[in-house]
């Protein structure tokens, strides 16, 4: 890209991700609800949020916490009513904020009416909404594809003798996107939500919807060899997305983000370059696999800092050159807390949380803040398997134990990798259950809530919350945050990540010490010459209470992070 790329309003916006089940409970049921979110909109407005991404609140048996949808057009009573939803939309719009909802259409719950019809007989008109295949000659699954949550990706329907495809849990049946009626039904469903006033969509694993229709065995030549190469960014995926754009996103000016599983940079440029009329932006996960040895999630290793920096840099440069747009994030509901994972959630918790925020918010893209991130919520580190709720975690625990891993070791892996790390209830204050519920929370509240909570974060001017608030405001004030070209500055420094963002006559410079060491970072001569020629440095934000001048040699205390604007002010 070019600096001339057309600016969009969401280039200067920040999105806040809400996992409703763990956000705020107004009924005492122990699970959060829609009214609980509405009640907290002033808080989000104070943070400076423009868009709220609300995760699935549709009717669902809840095996995968709502990512198993049984009815796309009704609200799960656990979360409230359609009136509650309409009130949420109104209250957001009244504040000038927007709502992005979650669209989960790679699969439905096996309790969805379409699936009930489909499984009732081979002749049923809904049969072809899903993916059915005859058994392999030995009677086993049609091919060797594996589910992302463990075990084979096929389930046998004993009545018809055929298998149906389930890339996630066995209760999440993959839709057959080759069927035009499926595509039409999905567009109609999205238009239903447009009619409710929704402004945008987050599209769940949308790059998996087009499967190679030969359904070949995976020969294992490309790791992890679980079949994903035959359905990731599949043959017709761009055609399908373009059709959604033409009928729904384009005409209604939606802001959209596609969740892209195991994708590539080249594909994400295609998905998000506006000329192609697909999505506004994309999530990718490569930077969150830098602690997976050989790509294996359920094995531990210290994270590879250089790989993290290289991935950010490649995607910054590549998306800029290709005219794509990144969704920037360190956290979501599927990831352990970045604070615990990449930095220090103990002694240097405050510095660490602010360092991660500055490092991410200085990049090009649209930043996403996942609930609790803005107050520095850490992983809970549970000492018993009984605390875990997530279907993927429980499946993997069982599989690890069956494979001979000791229960202690399996628990140690879950402590680091479980999605439940991000799903503990939001910590509002220091009252019982952190003010999340008056009942019994569905999942355990983190024990540190008395010191880590919203109430105290709002009171302290130097809190993590206020640091996020400033970053979010800076992006709105200075165009360089959304426009500046990226250049990495640190030359593989083992502890420091440093980069610049430049426009014609200005630069932003971010320098972050990802270690507990006190050190001095020296900007390489050429970079120093180029940057200092642009003018004086003004510190826009830091996390140490100090205001160091921009200089070639920068002294960095543990987890220090600074962001300067260099200009001829
Ligand atoms: O997740 C997609 C996905 O592939 C991962 O983030 C996944 O959870 C992880 O890699 C497992 O190791 C999306 C949703 O965000 C997730 O919550 C759902 O469970 C999943 O799709 C299925 O709908």
């Amino acid at each position: 890209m070019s600096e001339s790329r057309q600016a969009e309003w969401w280039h200067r916006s920040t999105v806040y991700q809400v996992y409703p089940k763990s956000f705020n409970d107004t009924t005492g049921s122990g699970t959060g609800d829609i009214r609980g979110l509405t009640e907290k909109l002033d808080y989000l407005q104070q943070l400076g949020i423009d868009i709220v991404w609300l995760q699935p609140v549709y009717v669902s048996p809840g095996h995968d916490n709502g990512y198993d949808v049984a009815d796309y057009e009704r609200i799960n009573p656990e979360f409230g009513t359609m009136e509650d939803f309409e009130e949420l939309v109104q209250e957001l719009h009244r504040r000038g904020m927007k709502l992005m909802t979650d669209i989960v259409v790679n699969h439905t719950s096996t309790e969805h009416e379409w699936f009930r019809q489909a499984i009732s007989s081979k002749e049923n008109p809904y049969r072809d909404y899903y993916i059915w295949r005859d058994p392999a000659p030995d009677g086993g699954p049609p091919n060797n594809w594996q589910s992302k949550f463990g075990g084979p990706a096929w389930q046998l329907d004993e009545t018809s003798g055929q298998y149906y495809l389930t890339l996630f849990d066995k209760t999440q049946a993959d839709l057959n996107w080759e069927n035009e009626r499926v595509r039409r039904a999905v567009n109609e469903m999205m238009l239903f939500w447009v009619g409710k006033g929704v402004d945008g969509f987050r599209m769940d694993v949308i790059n998996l919807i087009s499967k190679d229709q030969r359904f070949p065995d995976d020969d294992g030549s490309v790791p992890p060899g679980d079949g994903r190469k035959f359905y990731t960014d599949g043959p017709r995926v761009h055609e399908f997305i373009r059709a959604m754009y033409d009928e729904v996103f384009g005409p209604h000016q939606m802001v959209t983000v596609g969740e892209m599983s195991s994708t590539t940079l080249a594909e994400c440029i295609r998905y998000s370059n506006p000329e192609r009329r697909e999505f506004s932006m994309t999530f990718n996960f490569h930077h969150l696999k830098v602690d997976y040895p050989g790509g294996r999630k359920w094995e531990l290793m210290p994270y590879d800092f250089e790989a993290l920096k290289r991935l950010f840099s490649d995607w910054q440069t590549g998306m800029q050159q290709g005219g794509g747009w990144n969704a920037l994030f360190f956290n979501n509901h599927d990831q352990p807390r970045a604070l615990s994972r990449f930095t220090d959630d103990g002694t240097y918790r405050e510095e660490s949380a602010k360092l991660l925020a500055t490092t991410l918010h200085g990049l090009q893209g649209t930043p996403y803040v996942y609930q609790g991130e803005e107050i520095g919520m850490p992983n809970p580190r549970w000492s018993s398997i009984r605390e875990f709720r997530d279907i993927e975690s429980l499946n993997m625990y069982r599989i690890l134990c069956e494979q001979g891993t000791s229960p202690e070791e399996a628990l140690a892996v879950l402590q680091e990798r479980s999605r439940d790390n991000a799903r503990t209830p939001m910590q509002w204050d220091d009252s019982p259950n952190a003010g999340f519920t008056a009942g019994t929370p569905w999942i355990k509240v983190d024990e540190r809530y008395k010191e880590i909570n919203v109430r105290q974060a709002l009171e302290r001017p130097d809190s993590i919350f206020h640091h996020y608030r400033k970053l979010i405001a800076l992006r709105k004030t200075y165009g360089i945050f959304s426009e500046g070209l990226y250049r990495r500055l640190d030359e593989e420094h083992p502890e420091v990540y440093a980069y610049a963002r430049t426009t014609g006559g200005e630069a932003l410079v971010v320098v972050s010490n990802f270690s507990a060491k006190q050190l001095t970072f020296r900007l390489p001569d050429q970079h120093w010459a180029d940057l200092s020629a642009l003018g004086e440095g003004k510190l826009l934000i830091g996390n140490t209470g100090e205001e160091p001048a921009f200089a070639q040699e920068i002294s960095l205390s543990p987890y220090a992070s600074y962001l300067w604007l260099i200009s001829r002010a």
Side-chain angles (χ1 to χ4, degrees):
M1 122 162 158
S2 43
E3 290 173 63
S4 62
R5 181 189 160 153
Q6 198 198 329
E8 306 279 359
W9 64 268
W10 36 265
H11 287 177
R12 289 182 172 217
S13 299
T14 300
V15 183
Y16 190 88
Q17 181 190 349
V18 174
Y19 197 68
K21 196 168 179 179
S22 299
F23 193 63
N24 183 26
D25 173 20
T26 59
T27 66
S29 65
T31 63
D33 43 59
I34 294 173
R35 302 196 73 171
L37 168 55
T38 309
E39 202 176 89
K40 300 293 183 184
L41 293 183
D42 287 341
Y43 168 71
L44 298 184
Q45 191 171 31
Q46 190 180 351
L47 185 56
I49 295 301
D50 306 281
I51 306 173
V52 173
W53 154 21
L54 173 65
Q55 296 189 247
V57 289
Y58 319 106
V59 169
S60 160
H63 297 299
D64 191 20
N65 288 351
Y67 285 94
D68 45 335
V69 182
D71 187 335
Y72 288 111
E73 298 183 6
R74 280 173 43 229
I75 302 290
N76 184 342
E78 189 178 296
F79 292 120
T81 62
M82 192 60 89
E83 286 70 43
D84 295 342
F85 184 87
E86 287 162 355
E87 182 190 43
L88 169 67
V89 174
Q90 259 178 21
E91 289 298 312
L92 278 162
H93 289 173
R94 198 164 67 75
R95 291 171 175 80
M97 295 158 82
K98 299 195 188 284
L99 182 64
M100 182 184 255
T101 52
D102 220 304
I103 300 292
V104 189
V105 287
N106 175 67
H107 43 263
T108 73
S109 163
T110 49
E111 292 185 24
H112 194 289
E113 182 59 22
W114 298 341
F115 191 81
R116 288 181 197 271
Q117 295 281 339
I119 203 167
S120 69
S121 91
K122 276 179 152 174
E123 284 70 45
N124 190 290
Y126 286 94
R127 183 78 173 180
D128 195 38
Y129 271 47
Y130 297 88
I131 300 171
W132 301 90
R133 286 293 178 279
D134 289 329
D138 68 355
N143 67 26
N144 64 358
W145 297 4
Q146 295 294 301
S147 146
K148 304 228 181 219
F149 290 167
W154 298 92
Q155 294 298 318
L156 179 63
D157 163 36
E158 306 224 336
T159 316
S160 67
Q162 285 194 309
Y163 282 85
Y164 57 91
L165 183 70
T166 66
L167 292 183
F168 290 88
D169 185 55
K170 60 177 187 290
T171 64
Q172 293 165 302
D174 281 57
L175 282 165
N176 175 21
W177 277 74
E178 299 296 314
N179 181 345
E180 204 209 322
R181 289 174 61 211
V182 167
R183 304 200 295 271
R184 222 179 316 132
V186 168
N187 281 351
E188 278 163 20
M189 176 271 282
M190 292 194 291
L191 288 169
F192 170 86
W193 290 106
V194 171
K196 293 278 173 202
V198 166
D199 310 282
F201 295 128
R202 177 265 188 190
M203 309 291 296
D204 190 62
V205 289
I206 198 67
N207 67 326
L208 309 186
I209 57 178
S210 170
K211 279 83 174 170
D212 183 327
Q213 293 301 299
R214 297 166 302 159
F215 292 91
D217 266 330
D218 194 327
D219 61 8
S221 56
V222 183
D226 58 1
R228 69 182 66 189
K229 66 179 175 184
F230 297 111
Y231 57 76
T232 302
D233 305 315
R236 297 180 67 189
V237 67
H238 293 286
E239 171 199 336
F240 295 158
I241 295 171
R242 168 71 71 90
M244 295 187 230
Y245 182 95
D246 286 342
E247 282 174 47
V248 186
F249 313 151
H252 298 283
Q253 297 173 26
M254 314 292 286
V255 53
T256 55
V257 55
E259 188 205 26
M260 304 303 171
S261 177
S262 303
T263 189
T264 62
L265 174 56
E267 287 293 352
C268 284
I269 291 169
R270 292 187 190 108
Y271 291 124
S272 65
N273 181 318
E275 283 167 21
R276 294 185 49 99
R277 307 208 310 274
E278 297 189 24
F279 293 127
S280 312
M281 57 189 133
T282 53
F283 287 119
N284 83 82
F285 296 91
H286 296 288
H287 64 298
L288 298 179
K289 296 185 179 175
V290 295
D291 49 5
Y292 292 6
R296 291 181 302 275
K297 174 172 177 176
W298 302 99
E299 274 176 43
L300 301 181
M301 75 169 210
Y303 79 98
D304 180 341
F305 182 48
E306 180 51 33
L308 182 74
K309 294 191 284 183
R310 200 174 50 238
L311 283 160
F312 273 134
S313 302
D314 289 351
W315 282 76
Q316 284 289 300
T317 311
M319 290 290 258
Q320 270 171 353
Q321 285 168 351
W325 193 258
N326 280 304
L328 303 170
F329 71 109
F330 262 132
N331 293 287
N332 71 22
H333 65 295
D334 294 330
Q335 298 290 331
R337 296 279 180 181
L339 172 65
S340 306
R341 184 175 183 183
F342 300 127
T343 54
D344 176 2
D345 67 11
T347 315
Y348 297 110
R349 189 182 64 87
E350 297 247 346
E351 291 84 347
S352 293
K354 293 173 187 170
L355 164 137
L356 290 171
T358 305
T359 307
L360 193 82
H361 285 239
L363 296 172
Q364 186 176 51
T366 298
Y368 285 63
V369 180
Y370 175 64
Q371 65 185 47
E373 175 184 335
E374 78 281 14
I375 55 167
M377 281 174 58
N379 286 349
R381 299 202 73 77
W382 290 324
S383 52
S384 162
I385 186 66
R386 281 193 303 276
E387 311 295 358
F388 290 85
R389 299 285 176 272
D390 170 36
I391 192 166
E392 181 196 42
S393 305
L394 297 173
N395 279 348
M396 292 316 302
Y397 181 80
R398 182 177 42 77
I399 291 170
L400 286 171
C401 292
E402 280 166 12
Q403 287 169 351
T405 306
S406 71
E408 297 72 34
E409 276 173 71
L411 184 66
V413 175
L414 257 55
Q415 281 179 344
E416 299 297 329
R417 294 291 148 84
S418 171
R419 305 194 296 179
D420 282 336
N421 281 311
R423 299 177 179 184
T424 61
M426 182 69 184
Q427 294 160 203
W428 295 103
D429 56 38
D430 61 6
S431 68
N433 293 321
F436 161 70
T437 179
T440 308
W442 73 278
I443 193 168
K444 197 175 171 203
V445 176
D446 183 43
E447 279 152 8
R448 277 162 287 183
Y449 74 89
K450 294 216 163 157
E451 46 163 312
I452 305 171
N453 61 63
V454 168
R455 179 173 297 163
Q456 70 88 11
L458 289 174
E459 280 165 7
R460 282 192 20 235
D462 65 342
S463 69
I464 300 165
F465 174 90
H466 289 295
H467 189 89
Y468 271 87
R469 192 177 53 71
K470 281 181 212 151
L471 283 168
I472 292 167
L474 285 171
R475 172 169 295 267
K476 288 204 181 26
T477 310
Y478 297 97
I480 193 168
F481 277 82
S482 35
E483 289 147 27
L485 294 179
Y486 176 90
R487 192 206 290 183
R488 184 170 164 190
L489 304 175
D490 63 65
E491 296 187 333
E492 308 202 4
H493 191 288
E495 281 96 20
V496 174
Y497 182 21
Y499 63 83
R501 303 280 313 285
T502 56
T503 55
E506 290 184 339
L508 283 181
V509 174
V510 174
V511 178
S512 299
N513 175 10
F514 275 70
S515 81
K517 293 183 197 159
Q518 165 76 45
L519 48 87
T520 299
F521 172 68
R522 187 184 159 87
L523 273 169
D525 290 338
Q526 190 57 54
H527 291 316
W528 168 248
D530 294 349
L531 292 165
S532 55
L534 296 174
E536 292 294 306
K538 172 179 158 201
L539 188 77
L540 294 185
I541 194 164
N543 65 349
T544 59
E546 284 167 28
E547 300 208 0
F550 179 60
Q552 185 167 18
E553 298 212 339
I554 301 159
S555 164
L556 296 166
S557 54
Y559 297 100
S561 172
Y562 300 110
L563 186 155
W564 290 273
L565 176 70
I566 322 294
S567 68
R568 304 217 175 277

